[in-house]
Amino acid sequence: MTSDDAQWIADVRVVAVQMRDFRTYARAEAGIGPGLTVVHGPNGAGKSNLLEALYYGCTGRSPRTRNDRELVRFGAAAARVVVSLRDEAEAHELSVGFGTTPDQAQPVKRMTADGAQVERLLDVEIRPLISVFLPDRLELVKGPPALRRAHLDQVVAGIWPGRADTRREYSRVLAQRNALLARIRSARASQSTLATWDRELAARALQLRAHREEAVALLAEPFAARAQQLGCTGDVTLAYRPRSRAADEDEFIAELRERLPGDLERGFTGHGPHRDELAIVRAARELRVYGSQGEQRLALLALLLAERAVLATARHRTPLMLLDDVMSELDGERRELLAHELRSSGQSVIATTDLSHVPGATDAAVTRLRVSPGAVLQEAMAA
């Protein structure tokens, strides 16, 4: 086993999620099927909150907000989500709680894996891989490049867990160089002291760039194929656009030195993979600028499906996929294609206002949950 595969374990699936004082739910529990689970109910009933709870319980963070206070039900002191899991051998449990207690006036977050407290759920080996499509995530396509860089780095860490530290190490060295630039700018340090940090930054920058390029190369073909299947017009492709063209550390250092006057004027480093772009392109034009919102939604879905396929191959684990309000944007043929792909492997949870929008939703192999405000009814549970 290589260091990149160090955290590989047998496939893990989500069995159930319990919510207490989470968003609109006082107390609720939902069973998740081994394949496709369809969550249906009227607008505002809590379908998105259920998907958010699944993501929160598996990752320790929300895909919709950075403020955990928003997750606590109005009038409650704390929210808690428990996700029940099962691998090939035994049952597991992840839990995330946030809020105040009688002994703690300030809100705190507490995460556990099989009862043991952990700092980060993302580092827990039994945690299932997970991907989420929400209307809010459209910013991943049309928002600033920093969002796409961060997402790409998460994909790299998902494919090769041993590479998760690459971005953190780069960010650490970048912060040190930026601090030194500030000192040089205020005449509290000499430019000669930059050489060490330039060399450190060059090594990590080239490594980070290489990891990203390798991930994009794996994603390119499945992304293009799924974009076409979903109805994106023209040839839609992924393009990784690094700022640096350096072939080795010395060339990268030369690029830094060439830009040093500008860095000193600004007070921070303006060159490196922290300024790179992951672009979704059609006919040499970026979809984030020249695509309609409908096309951007399809491109986002194609990207997430491509990532799911790549992760399934690389890790032998198909990510749990959460999809909110996706079928309403697709015609009948595309709905059939999407439903077929989701049912072909792994677990998926789709939220919809109209059950008829999900092909095969009433089949025996599909788990169905009906959501009403604050409650979840288990209509059908697949074996």
Side-chain angles (χ1 to χ4, degrees):
M1 183 179 295
T2 69
S3 59
D4 284 345
D5 298 324
Q7 296 185 26
W8 184 91
I9 63 169
D11 201 10
V12 177
R13 74 176 182 91
V14 175
V15 176
V17 58
Q18 301 174 45
M19 297 163 286
R20 180 175 179 180
D21 292 325
F22 183 88
R23 293 285 192 179
T24 54
Y25 295 101
R27 289 178 183 268
E29 182 174 358
I32 307 300
L36 178 62
T37 297
V38 180
V39 181
H40 67 107
N43 287 324
K47 300 184 299 298
S48 299
N49 295 343
L50 175 56
L51 267 60
E52 182 182 23
L54 278 164
Y55 190 90
Y56 188 67
C58 290
T59 66
R61 62 192 186 195
S62 167
R64 300 164 70 188
T65 179
R66 294 184 178 181
N67 184 2
D68 282 16
R69 294 175 186 267
E70 297 177 13
L71 307 178
V72 181
R73 187 173 64 90
F74 183 75
R80 188 166 187 259
V81 174
V82 178
V83 176
S84 301
L85 311 171
R86 177 166 288 281
D87 61 23
E88 295 175 351
E90 57 188 339
H92 301 280
E93 184 180 277
L94 303 176
S95 73
V96 186
F98 176 84
T100 61
T101 67
D103 301 325
Q104 181 70 48
Q106 293 298 318
V108 296
K109 178 184 283 187
R110 185 174 187 272
M111 295 176 284
T112 67
D114 286 339
Q117 190 166 348
V118 296
E119 291 294 321
R120 282 167 38 100
L121 282 182
L122 296 179
D123 297 329
V124 174
E125 292 185 4
I126 60 169
R127 182 185 74 87
L129 301 176
I130 191 166
S131 179
V132 59
F133 177 98
L134 300 172
D136 298 347
R137 293 206 78 194
L138 196 57
E139 282 298 300
L140 186 58
V141 174
K142 66 180 186 179
L147 296 177
R148 288 180 291 282
R149 286 194 297 268
H151 181 77
L152 181 56
D153 291 336
Q154 290 173 7
V155 173
V156 168
I159 299 172
W160 305 286
R163 301 182 184 183
D165 286 339
T166 303
R167 174 61 202 233
R168 289 196 288 267
E169 275 298 298
Y170 175 80
S171 297
R172 180 187 65 81
V173 174
L174 179 65
Q176 294 285 354
R177 187 178 192 269
N178 286 343
L180 182 54
L181 287 171
R183 291 198 296 272
I184 295 171
R185 190 182 185 196
S186 60
R188 291 183 290 121
S190 167
Q191 288 190 24
S192 63
T193 58
L194 272 173
T196 299
W197 290 114
D198 284 356
R199 178 67 62 179
E200 290 278 336
L201 192 69
R204 286 159 177 80
L206 295 182
Q207 187 178 44
L208 180 59
R209 186 186 69 183
H211 291 172
R212 289 173 174 176
E213 287 175 336
E214 189 175 353
V216 172
L218 288 175
L219 290 168
E221 185 176 337
F223 168 76
R226 283 158 178 80
Q228 185 179 48
Q229 290 171 357
L230 291 170
C232 290
T233 56
D235 293 329
V236 182
T237 59
L238 282 179
Y240 179 57
R241 296 174 172 172
R243 286 292 186 96
S244 173
R245 301 299 177 187
D248 55 34
E249 291 181 18
D250 289 338
E251 289 187 12
F252 188 88
I253 291 170
E255 292 175 345
L256 288 175
R257 289 174 179 168
E258 182 182 345
R259 293 163 175 79
L260 181 57
D263 287 351
L264 289 172
E265 183 178 348
R266 289 186 299 266
F268 60 86
T269 306
H271 182 68
H274 62 288
R275 303 296 299 276
D276 292 353
E277 169 68 295
L278 174 66
I280 299 176
V281 180
R282 180 183 59 201
R285 289 185 163 192
E286 291 190 35
L287 211 63
R288 71 181 182 91
V289 178
Y290 296 100
S292 68
Q293 182 156 304
E295 290 172 324
Q296 291 168 347
R297 284 171 61 92
L298 292 177
L300 173 59
L301 181 57
L303 178 60
L304 297 178
L305 289 171
E307 291 168 1
R308 186 174 191 252
V310 168
L311 283 164
T313 299
R315 297 286 300 279
H316 306 282
R317 297 169 63 187
T318 304
L320 166 65
M321 192 156 197
L322 310 176
L323 301 108
D324 189 13
D325 190 31
V326 63
M327 291 296 189
S328 61
E329 294 285 334
L330 304 177
D331 60 27
E333 182 182 355
R334 268 70 190 188
R335 289 173 184 170
E336 289 281 357
L337 285 168
L338 177 57
H340 175 74
E341 171 147 354
L342 295 176
R343 294 175 67 174
S344 64
S345 65
Q347 288 183 284
S348 302
V349 182
I350 296 181
T352 180
T353 56
D354 189 341
L355 204 59
S356 66
H357 284 174
V358 183
T362 59
D363 291 355
V366 175
T367 295
R368 291 193 308 280
L369 303 170
R370 181 170 182 81
V371 174
S372 58
V376 180
L377 172 65
Q378 195 91 38
E379 285 189 334
M381 185 70 185

